[in-house]
Amino acid sequence: MTGTGTRRGLSFYLLAAFFGLFVLFLYGPIATITILSFQGPEGGLTFPMNGVSLHWFRNLFEQQAVGDFGGSFRRSIALGLTVMVLTVLFSLLAGFAFRRRFLGSGALFYLAVASLIVPSILVSLGIGLLFNILGIEPTWYGSALGAHLTWTLPFGLLIVFAIFNRFNPAYEEAARDLGATPWQTVRHVVLPILLPSLIGVGLFGFTLSYDEFARTLMTAGSFNTLPLEIYGMTTNVTTPVLYALGTLTTLFSFTVIGLFLAGVMILRRRRLRRTGAAA
């Protein structure tokens, strides 16, 4: 029975069961990997577990016979942060540019978002071949950076365009009426209003880059990023150290998301306090 005294229909329970299966399918493998990462020193890759310990987490930070977890993790972090900054910057600038229509704006928009429908492996292959033809060695900070931007920028553009479509230009008009210059209007009025959404764009860009595999495969060069390193370890490593790596990377991903969400909540609370003080 609900609060209004009416019974829930059959559709509610069917949707609830479907949602439960979705959550199980999504987080079941993550839970399985997390549990198996705590195998004992003699444990294997499957159930039943042979003891419980932190052995494989300690082993992860020791010298491995194959793989370079530390180096690949640092490269993925550096690449993700660079992609995040560039995605926010270019998306914001494009949002300002597209506020007024200009010749070819429609074609330019569709050209920018077209890479979303192109298979990622083809984009990676094309960029890798282009660098080879030009005689430039593909690198994770060069060709892979460009490949990641072809993936993150269209999402950033779509989000920023949606933000500007909801933006009330009356705030800018009020600032200009009070004598603010165009730069002061952008800095003190537009950007503070857009900041929570821009944080979301940055988080989106970072997460898309951090776990991108297909567009990195042919463009990273001699040094792997973390997704490529994990893929290589699946064919060489036969111990639960691989599960320990998966557990730590998953924990890191959730931590990053939590920090960004906390930042957004803090910004909203500060805005509400300022609004209340002004009132």
Side-chain angles (χ1 to χ4, degrees), residues 121-269:
I121 191 64
L122 293 182
V123 175
S124 176
L125 179 61
I127 294 176
L129 288 176
L130 177 62
F131 270 68
N132 287 329
I133 292 174
L134 296 176
I136 305 175
E137 181 181 0
T139 58
W140 63 270
Y141 53 83
S143 53
L145 174 61
H148 283 206
L149 288 175
T150 64
W151 182 234
T152 61
L153 271 178
F155 285 105
L157 291 176
L158 293 174
I159 295 173
V160 170
F161 288 170
I163 296 169
F164 273 112
N165 285 336
R166 301 194 309 267
F167 187 81
N168 189 352
Y171 296 118
E172 296 173 280
E173 296 175 4
R176 287 193 294 267
D177 291 341
L178 293 174
T181 63
W183 169 242
Q184 289 174 328
T185 302
V186 171
R187 179 182 177 185
H188 298 290
V189 178
V190 178
L191 289 182
I193 295 176
L194 299 181
L195 185 57
S197 299
L198 294 179
I199 292 177
V201 173
L203 175 61
F204 208 42
F206 177 82
T207 52
L208 287 176
S209 172
Y210 178 71
D211 65 358
E212 178 58 29
F213 173 80
R215 299 190 186 225
T216 318
L217 184 61
M218 303 292 182
T219 59
S222 303
F223 296 97
N224 287 339
T225 58
L226 187 59
L228 296 180
E229 196 69 27
I230 293 176
Y231 176 77
M233 291 177 70
T234 60
T235 60
N236 296 297
V237 178
T238 57
T239 63
V241 69
L242 181 60
Y243 295 153
L245 175 58
T247 300
L248 288 183
T249 53
T250 301
L251 179 62
F252 173 78
S253 299
F254 281 120
T255 301
V256 171
I257 294 174
L259 290 176
F260 273 92
L261 291 178
V264 171
M265 292 179 61
I266 292 173
L267 290 174
R268 288 179 177 175
R269 288 179 179 177

